[in-house]
Every structure is written in C-alpha cells, then in structure tokens.
Amino acid sequence: MSVPGPAPRRRVPGPSEPGAAVPGADLPGSDFPERRTDYSGAVYGSMLAASVIAASSLQEPHPRLALILLLVVTGLTFWAAHVYAHIAGQREAGKDVTFRQVRRVGRHEWPIVEAAALPALAVLVSPWLGTGENAWLALAVAICQQVAWATLGAHRAGARPRQVVAEGAVNLVLGLVIVAAKVAVGH
C-alpha cells in the first residue's frame, strides 16, 4: 500500500504583494486561509456598487454628491453586515470571539468598501469628462473593476488560463445583466 505524497504547492505571494498573508489568519477558530489569494470582497463590492448605481436612477436623477454618499454608505453598511454575520456565525458555532478576531474579519471584508472608491470617483469627475450627471461612466467603471478583480483573483489563485478567462467572462455577464436591468427600466 503506497501513501500519497504531499499535494504540489502553488506559488504563494510575497509579503508585499496583493494576496499576501491575512493578518491573524492563524488564530484559533479562523476559517480564513493562511494566504489570501481571493478577491471575493472586491468582486462583490464592485457588483454592489454597480447595482447601487443602476438602481439609483429609479427614483430620480441623484446629484453627484448624493450618489457618491450612497455608494460609500452602502459599501460601509454591507461591510458591517458581512463582519457581523461572520462574528455571529462564530458565536453560534460556540467559538469565543475576541476583538482581535473582529478586527481581522473587518480587514478581510474591507475590499467591499474599497470597491466603491473608483465608481464614486467616476461620478465625481463625469461632468468634467462631458458625460453630464448620468451614472453610465461610474457603472462602466464598477463593471470593469469587477471583471478585473475576478480575473486577477483567479490568476493569483493559480487557475489555468482557461479558468481565468472564464472567471472574467462570468463576471462580465453578471455586470451586463445589471446594465440590461438598468436599460429595461428606462434609465
């Protein structure tokens, strides 16, 4: 009977690269990987930003500042909800939760908030680029970063080129679904 050897190891990013170690990932009870190669929070936050932008014109056109605030507040709210859900899940599983773990989870989920930054900047500069007060530029930025984060995440996780392209394509389709919904309701 032969015993299989260890699985081949993937390249792990260095400490200064994106995807490096998550601080506190080695804490007892941690369900985050020791090395972070996923960009799920950034992908999720980008999709959230695109949805907020698409839906924001359902009521009436928002002034730029209102849309920027809506993006930031929504990102912060969903970030807090993710942190709370994770911590509540840990408690329900009978695990003690420390403030250090809460901070670690907060840092892990922070890309949800960061993903609102570029779309918010696009809203801010859109009038100077000749796109007026509409949110199409910000929507395009949100979808482009969603595709970029998904593709980069797959690449950094060691996915094959075909899988990397598939990740990008799936996220492009998801973004286009948001665009189609915006167009379908007449905005």
Side-chain angles (χ1 to χ4, degrees):
M1 173 183 228
S2 69
V3 177
R9 303 192 105 212
R10 292 186 179 165
R11 181 190 170 298
V12 177
S16 63
E17 296 179 83
V22 175
D26 55 347
L27 293 173
S30 173
D31 60 351
F32 292 124
E34 190 171 319
R35 299 284 179 191
R36 182 166 184 201
T37 56
D38 76 271
Y39 292 83
S40 58
V43 172
Y44 178 82
S46 298
M47 188 179 298
L48 176 64
S51 299
V52 166
I53 295 163
S56 68
S57 60
L58 291 177
Q59 303 295 326
E60 59 184 71
H62 286 73
R64 286 178 304 162
L65 182 58
L67 183 51
I68 291 168
L69 288 173
L70 186 60
L71 282 165
V72 172
V73 168
T74 302
L76 285 168
T77 302
F78 274 72
W79 167 77
H82 277 247
V83 172
Y84 175 76
H86 181 81
I87 297 305
Q90 292 288 324
R91 269 196 310 265
E92 288 175 13
K95 298 177 182 174
D96 288 334
V97 177
T98 66
F99 183 70
R100 184 175 178 191
Q101 289 171 309
V102 173
R103 282 193 343 247
R104 178 186 44 80
V105 172
R107 280 192 307 269
H108 182 269
E109 298 295 339
W110 191 249
I112 294 171
V113 177
E114 291 175 328
L118 283 179
L121 181 63
V123 170
L124 181 67
V125 302
S126 63
W128 297 305
L129 298 176
T131 61
E133 293 285 334
N134 73 46
W136 286 105
L137 176 63
L139 183 58
V141 167
I143 292 168
C144 286
Q145 76 177 11
Q146 174 187 333
V147 171
W149 284 125
T151 304
L152 180 62
H155 173 73
R156 296 253 177 188
R160 293 188 174 114
R162 175 184 263 173
Q163 292 168 313
V164 172
V165 170
E167 286 287 332
V170 165
N171 276 277
L172 178 60
V173 168
L174 291 171
L176 293 176
V177 166
I178 294 170
V179 170
K182 182 172 177 60
V183 170
V185 296
H187 297 289

